[in-house]
Amino acid sequence: MALYYFDVDDNGTFYPDDQGTDCDTFDRVKEEAIRTLVEMIKDSLPDGDRHKLMIKVRDDGGDVVLQVSLNFEVEAEHRSHGGSSPDSHV
C-alpha cells in the first residue's frame, strides 16, 4: 500500500492533510477522493449561490497525482411579474 494525502480547498480555505490515507491502487485513490468530495458537498451545500470544492491528492513524495473539483453556481433569471403571465387563469 502507498500513502496518499487528500488536501481540501473549500471555497478558498485550504485544509492540508497531514495524516494521509493508505491506498493499494490508483483506482482506490480516485474512489476515495470522489467519495470525500461527495460527503463534503452534502455538508456544505447550499450556503449561497456559489461554492467551489477541490481535493488535490499528493503521493508520498509530495507530487500532486489527482485533482477532483466541483463548482456549484446558481443563476436565476429575474422576470417581471407586472402583468398577466401565460400561466395565469382568467
Side-chain angles (χ1 to χ4, degrees):
M1 282 204 194
L3 194 59
Y4 292 90
Y5 298 89
F6 294 76
D7 300 327
V8 173
D9 183 333
D10 185 356
N11 231 24
T13 302
F14 185 70
Y15 302 95
D17 178 1
D18 58 356
Q19 295 180 348
T21 301
D22 283 320
C23 296
D24 54 355
T25 66
F26 191 73
D27 284 341
R28 178 71 177 111
V29 172
K30 291 189 324 187
E31 290 170 8
E32 183 69 20
I34 292 167
R35 184 191 61 74
T36 301
L37 189 65
V38 168
E39 287 179 12
M40 291 174 55
I41 291 166
K42 290 178 186 178
D43 292 337
S44 64
L45 296 180
D47 71 344
D49 290 343
R50 289 179 167 64
H51 203 105
K52 181 174 183 179
L53 296 170
M54 181 184 336
I55 297 175
K56 287 187 178 180
V57 182
R58 294 179 286 120
D59 63 13
D60 209 11
D63 295 323
V64 174
V65 296
L66 179 70
Q67 178 175 306
V68 179
S69 63
L70 173 83
N71 293 308
F72 176 81
E73 187 171 335
V74 175
E75 293 182 25
E77 293 184 29
H78 297 289
R79 296 182 181 168
S80 173
H81 295 288
S84 64
S85 72
D87 294 333
S88 66
H89 297 282
V90 178

